[in-house]
Amino acid sequence: MMGRREKQQAELFYEFSLEGHVPQDHLLRTIDRFVDLTSVRDHLQPFYSHTGRLSVDPELMIRMLLVGYINGIRSERRLCEEVHLNLAYRWFCRLDLTDPVPDHSTFSKNRHGRFRESNLLRVVFEAVVARCIEEGVVGGEHFASDASLIEADANKQNSTAKEDWDPDKINPEIASRAVKDYLFALDDEAFGAATDVVPKFTSHSDPSSQWTAARHGPAFFAYSNNYLIDTDHAIIVDVQASRSVRTGETYATRTMIERAHERFGLWPERLIADTAYGSAEMLAWLVYDWGIEPHIPVIDKSKRDDGTFSREDFVYERETDSYICPAGKQLLRNRRKFQTVRADQSDLDFVKYGAAKADCEACGLRQQCCPKGAPRRLLRSKYEGARQMARDIAKTEDYAISCKLRKKVEMLFAHLKRILGLRRLRLRGPNGANDEFLLAATAQNLRKLAKLFPGGPKPQTA
């Protein structure tokens, strides 16, 4: 028989507990076991006044931001609405049923003020990384690095072509916050000093963003989100925003490696990356300065496609510091001393080797080597030792394994865009990009911990 819900008089008193209404296997309940924000208040203490009315609890704001990035809620207006309505969100944020939710404007005021001045979001991110290390899910031996393009909050209609762009004409006193960040970052190697090539277009609203067509489609303004991960469990060890050019991304990787060593004492045995990181300078920095094995394809433009001998057809002899050509002749190092110092950096980065003119003229392989008549010349990078080490590593079985491990960082970027919804930035400027990338990486690490330890942290052994 069909039932009917009987309408009765409303109860005068209710007994309700948020704790009992959040399932034990809820994602936020699992994540909450790994969130420790007790140090936030002490860290922010110097940035608050000792007088006046009480502010919104900073721990509450951080917890709300984490809820937003963990669940892909990008809008702070919508985040406040969801926290107001969702019982699990209220429980995670330590809000009772009658507690008010902060206004969305509170986040903007604190982000541009205390949070950035105190570098709070990086402190929260590094606290989560430290927890990952404590739980034993960071091996610290094999790191992988990569960058992904994230569309900036800018469009071509509000931009200037490179012929008309002049940063010296910007008045800092009336400029927007993102433009001031751009002027401040002009000497930063990850942004303004990453390259001296002027982009085709520069955005008025976010000049630090890079006009790029790297996806082989319509060009757009973007930032690069750089991840340095530990390949054992794909934990993000560090994150850094940069300009979307190769030099900016390689500099960001160097910064992340140095910072991971400074903060956590991590010193990897190998770095896994794609060809974009295979420049001679980057390989030399890894090998000579840090003693890290570069599991990275080498950028090599010496291969010829006209049928003549490439540099790989010549054998280098370390004892005599010379090359031996396919005909058995010797190419000696050019020891000519110039009267004036050469200013071109490309000349300083390479050493020239040349064959004797008589050897080339009498050689039977001349048409396959130097058909235009001039004696054969070779250029050798001053970092050739590091490049050769990377080539030798590429022939090993460990390198084949590294190629598979490199996919872990690519999967993190796919998760970032598809699950967390970070395809386009909401905030502008280098600081805004760093804020969003730090919060997203923190959310990904917390989700990873919840997946690895669904029952909570491992018990501590005495």
Side-chain angles (χ1 to χ4, degrees):
M1 182 170 61
M2 183 181 298
R4 179 188 296 272
R5 180 177 179 270
E6 298 294 338
K7 294 184 178 180
Q8 299 179 355
Q9 181 179 357
E11 297 184 24
L12 295 178
F13 301 98
Y14 292 89
E15 183 178 347
F16 185 87
S17 173
L18 278 176
E19 183 69 28
H21 281 73
V22 179
Q24 291 297 320
D25 59 349
H26 195 280
L27 175 62
L28 287 179
R29 184 180 285 277
T30 307
I31 286 177
D32 185 65
R33 302 184 179 107
F34 301 99
V35 177
D36 183 8
L37 301 176
T38 55
S39 63
V40 167
R41 303 175 69 84
D42 293 336
H43 182 76
L44 287 175
Q45 189 66 42
F47 299 90
Y48 281 88
S49 173
H50 298 288
T51 61
R53 65 178 182 177
L54 294 177
S55 68
V56 177
D57 187 355
E59 180 178 346
L60 169 60
M61 288 187 284
I62 294 298
R63 284 184 173 271
M64 288 183 64
L65 288 173
L66 289 178
V67 166
Y69 279 83
I70 288 170
N71 295 280
I73 304 174
R74 304 296 318 289
S75 169
E76 287 167 358
R77 289 177 181 266
R78 184 179 161 222
L79 174 62
C80 293
E81 295 173 357
E82 292 293 332
V83 172
H84 176 72
L85 296 173
N86 192 299
L87 295 180
Y89 295 172
R90 278 185 170 271
W91 175 87
F92 183 81
C93 295
R94 306 295 191 262
L95 290 173
D96 205 348
L97 286 176
T98 58
D99 291 334
V101 177
D103 187 76
H104 66 87
S105 61
T106 306
F107 294 94
S108 298
K109 293 178 182 177
N110 283 275
R111 181 192 306 112
H112 299 309
R114 300 182 183 96
F115 288 2
R116 285 186 183 167
E117 292 171 4
S118 64
N119 207 15
L120 178 64
L121 298 182
R122 178 161 291 280
V123 171
V124 173
F125 167 76
E126 291 179 352
V128 175
V129 175
R131 185 58 184 269
C132 294
I133 297 173
E134 180 183 341
E135 296 297 330
V137 294
V138 175
E141 297 179 353
H142 302 161
F143 281 4
S145 182
D146 203 356
S148 181
L149 294 180
I150 305 295
E151 188 175 352
D153 186 23
N155 57 70
K156 184 181 177 182
Q157 284 69 32
N158 187 25
S159 64
T160 296
K162 63 179 180 180
E163 296 83 7
D164 303 322
W165 178 256
D166 186 4
D168 295 332
K169 295 181 179 180
I170 299 176
N171 185 356
E173 297 181 358
I174 61 174
S176 64
R177 184 178 290 108
V179 175
K180 291 179 181 178
D181 290 347
Y182 161 76
L183 295 174
F184 184 76
L186 283 177
D187 295 330
D188 192 330
E189 293 189 57
F191 291 99
T195 175
D196 55 1
V197 178
V198 180
K200 190 174 181 180
F201 293 98
T202 300
S203 170
H204 296 163
S205 58
D206 193 354
S208 296
S209 60
Q210 176 72 27
W211 179 256
T212 177
R215 292 178 180 170
H216 305 288
F220 57 96
F221 290 105
Y223 282 94
S224 284
N225 185 12
N226 299 271
Y227 276 178
L228 180 68
I229 74 164
D230 183 89
T231 58
D232 285 1
H233 295 92
I235 297 295
I236 304 171
V237 177
D238 206 344
V239 56
Q240 178 71 34
S242 74
R243 192 174 174 185
S244 297
V245 293
R246 188 174 65 190
T247 51
E249 294 169 358
T250 54
Y251 177 79
T253 297
R254 294 167 61 168
T255 300
M256 291 188 293
I257 291 175
E258 292 173 345
R259 191 160 49 206
H261 177 68
E262 178 185 350
R263 298 287 197 274
F264 310 110
L266 299 176
W267 196 325
E269 294 180 358
R270 69 180 63 166
L271 178 69
I272 305 168
D274 58 24
T275 312
Y277 301 84
S279 64
E281 295 79 5
M282 181 65 182
L283 296 175
W285 183 84
L286 289 171
V287 175
Y288 300 143
D289 295 352
W290 284 82
I292 299 174
E293 293 182 5
H295 287 235
I296 304 172
V298 179
I299 298 176
D300 194 348
K301 300 180 180 180
S302 64
K303 185 71 175 179
R304 293 191 173 186
D305 55 5
D306 58 356
T308 59
F309 294 133
S310 300
R311 190 177 62 186
E312 62 185 16
D313 297 315
F314 294 74
V315 179
Y316 178 73
E317 289 189 343
R318 185 178 301 274
E319 294 78 8
T320 59
D321 189 19
S322 63
Y323 277 92
I324 304 299
C325 73
K329 301 299 182 180
Q330 195 176 42
L331 281 74
L332 298 177
R333 181 172 180 172
N334 187 350
R335 295 184 173 84
R336 177 186 173 187
K337 294 184 178 180
F338 295 89
Q339 294 181 352
T340 58
V341 179
R342 293 172 291 178
D344 191 353
Q345 184 62 34
S346 61
D347 287 342
L348 301 177
D349 290 342
F350 290 91
V351 179
K352 296 181 180 180
Y353 294 80
K357 183 177 180 180
D359 290 339
C360 290
E361 290 179 348
C363 182
L365 301 177
R366 180 176 178 179
Q367 294 302 316
Q368 296 175 263
C369 186
C370 46
K372 294 183 179 180
R376 184 60 188 264
R377 298 286 185 266
L378 293 179
L379 293 178
R380 178 182 174 88
S381 171
K382 66 178 182 180
Y383 305 122
E384 194 64 29
R387 285 160 53 89
Q388 188 58 45
M389 180 179 179
R391 294 191 190 98
D392 294 339
I393 291 175
K395 302 175 184 177
T396 63
E397 295 182 2
D398 286 344
Y399 181 81
I401 297 174
S402 296
C403 291
K404 297 179 180 179
L405 294 177
R406 193 173 68 199
K407 296 180 180 179
K408 291 189 176 184
V409 66
E410 296 171 355
M411 292 172 65
L412 281 172
F413 287 131
H415 178 270
L416 176 72
K417 297 177 180 180
R418 297 184 59 185
I419 307 302
L420 302 189
L422 187 55
R423 296 178 179 272
R424 181 185 174 95
L425 293 172
R426 291 179 54 254
L427 308 180
R428 293 172 177 171
N431 289 327
N434 260 319
D435 288 350
E436 292 215 55
F437 295 160
L438 281 167
L439 282 169
T442 303
Q444 287 184 290
N445 280 346
L446 287 172
R447 290 177 67 110
K448 176 66 70 172
L449 282 173
K451 181 179 180 181
L452 294 174
F453 305 108
K458 295 188 298 183
Q460 298 294 328
T461 58

